Amino acid sequence: MKLILALLMLSSVNAVTITQMQSSSEASSTQKFEVTQKSMVYEKRSNLFDLSQDFRLGEFVNKEKGPRLTYRKRLEEMKKKIRLADTVLKKNGGGFNDLSGNSPHDVFFALDGYRVSSDSAVFEELRSIFNDLLKENWKHQKGVRLDLESKKVIRVDKEKEEDRREFVYLHFCNNNSTPAICYFKDSGYLFLK
Amino acid sequence: MKPLFLLFLLLSSLSSEAYDRKKAAAYLRTLVTQNKIDLTDINSKFDFNGEEILAVEFDDVISENLDSIYKDLNQTRKRQYTQDYLVLRYYQLFSRNKKDNVVLSENIDRIMKLSELPFSGKTIASDLNCPPEQSYPKLNSLFNEIRKVADATFCTPLEVGTGKTFVRLSEKKNQNNYTAKSPDLTTGNYHLKRTSTQQYEATLGIRLSSGKGTKVSSQEMINRIKACINEANPFITGPKGENLKINILTPEEIKSLPVNERPAVNNISIVSPGYRANSQEYPEDISCSVITHEVFHQFGLCDEYQETDPTLQGDFSCRVITSSPSVMRDEGLHRDIIPKSLSCPCDTKICQFFMNSKYENIKKMILTEDIYQVSTKVFIEQWCKEESVTTHQLDKFPKDNDKSTYIISTEGRSLISKRYAPTEADANGVYYVGEYKMTCQCPDGNSECLRTRENVIKSIQNLSVSSYCPFINDSNKDKQTISSSLSPHPTSIKNGVLTFYRPPKIKSFLQPKQFAKILEGNCPGGESEKYTLCSQFAYKSKGSPECKVPNYCFDDSSFLGVAK
């Protein structure tokens, strides 16, 4: 019991991450939120499943205290329950992830190391947290974005524009697919709809 | 501190349960008796005095029904129920009084037994169609003997006019409990006929079902699959020029076949657009290149690509990644195989100027592949840098330069090439050809980079007609039409539309051993034996004890039968 409490306390010091994995026939999409005591970081590797057009990839940051504490609490509570379940399952020779749905192309969340598949009873709650996080005010810290006319690729570092280069369509993008898929080193994939 | 904490717990429990728990439990029991609530759904709620209550929180009622809950669940759902129950309930053991804990604790113990724990990897292996061969050794040995006798007959190569029906191993094993979504590694469900010395016909039955909210009907999807496969059929050839024609049939069409020619039907769901396709789920916007790849899974061919999903990279890290052209690694191969007629918008000034100019070599160059087309995006983005070198006046551009890319050097692990591309007109309206130098350098020991580099070098030495419209961008790309065409035609430009023909660059969708695999199924001792052995690692993890990949699997000539 003491060990469990110690583990629970330890977790509040470190970051909590929630990652959504989704795939399509051409590429996979990873979107990760890391909530620490000081900030929230959103890592976006693809715009494949965006609800509105947003041609930005990379790292985004939010330093507002209020939402951060709320999300941290919600995620920690969820993680505590999962970790306890994991503990009892490990005593039986397995773990939480061994019981998670493992269909290769199914959407799922990774809450730190725990894989929460779409069949899980807590999936909807995680999705709700994830969707709320998406709506927060995010500042583009590092990565790439296209300019308004989609003619330039702008590299961003430390929230500032680092350089602009021509958006050579056939270089960056797979012309044959709809939507066109454009790859940017270290930042991910943009899907031009 | 402790009494205060208990008081807090008591208050919080009072505030969250404003209803009479005993009466609610009695009401829940009535609902269960009347089959008005489904306890196998862990999120089931019932309405009691205007409040929505989660049924799983009633430990006594769950205890009374636990056996029947587990009896009604299949193995996959049992595992999910166990996981959910523990997540939703186990933490309560630490926050409730001991009396309440007794039943909950008993429930958890019983669930552990009902779930058939401990874990052994057996369940996951069965999901991935990797049957645990080590189970039941005596029974397996007997089964193997029986199988040898049956296989000896079944595995004889087909004579002209004869046929045989392949059955997926997991279908044989357990027809009612097959839930896996990854392709079966042993073989698929299909009937194979040899109609002449060089001609085979395979019949594949597909039953489509629409998912929630999907707009593409089963009929539309089956028509699309049939059209894609018909387009691919002339290019499904073996190493000796044999051809395999695949017939896609609906369950109703299968019924019209003679009984001994009817394969088991494969179930495929239509899912929302954008979803990543797999052999049993086709998104509404699935393309012919993906359909072709997925259909080959139904014949027992395995994936050969590096998994990009970060969480699956571990699960499938034992997979052998090939480097030779293969539709099971690169769906884009479809583009290089199906001959095409390209109809391209050419109403921009630059396109009009060059395509109507006297510079035949430059026109040819524009319609030829460049390094970007014959390479992978990852290779160029990770390991190459391109710089602008100079621009050439059109009249001084060498007449014998009719290719867009030339190799300058291939020393060590590098590849240096030059690329020519027409430029937009300058302020005086003068057009040029731009020259760019691309330097690619593979890191020491990076086999992926080195393999790709080799392929890129070969491709540059043998550049083909472009498979893309020139001068295309995101604003005019929707005006292009790329259709399959078996008959070649000359290049023309008319009314602002450029039309040209791209012949097949690669002769067959299948490498020799992939072709043999379809003819032989799971038969031992044939041409495809090594293919079958190497393919069994495609859905295993590097950490698994079963991940013992023989060295020959990393050689495409052994695995795929690629000519050395």
Side-chain angles (χ1 to χ4, degrees), chain A residues 137-154:
Chain A
N137 181 25
W138 296 101
K139 283 187 180 165
H140 199 185
Q141 176 159 280
K142 192 180 178 184
V144 296
R145 68 180 166 87
L146 295 188
D147 70 348
L148 289 176
E149 294 174 320
S150 295
K151 287 195 169 171
K152 302 275 181 198
V153 182
I154 301 162

Side-chain angles (χ1 to χ4, degrees), chain B residues 100-114:
Chain B
D100 287 343
N101 286 350
V102 174
V103 182
L104 176 57
S105 188
E106 278 173 8
N107 280 355
I108 288 168
D109 280 347
R110 281 173 65 198
I111 276 178
M112 286 303 169
K113 284 171 193 149
L114 289 164

Side-chain angles (χ1 to χ4, degrees), chain B residues 321-341:
Chain B
I321 312 297
T322 58
S323 58
S324 306
S326 171
V327 71
M328 300 316 287
R329 188 193 65 256
D330 178 14
E331 289 151 0
L333 197 72
H334 190 272
R335 188 185 60 220
D336 289 339
I337 295 173
I338 305 289
K340 289 188 176 74
S341 176

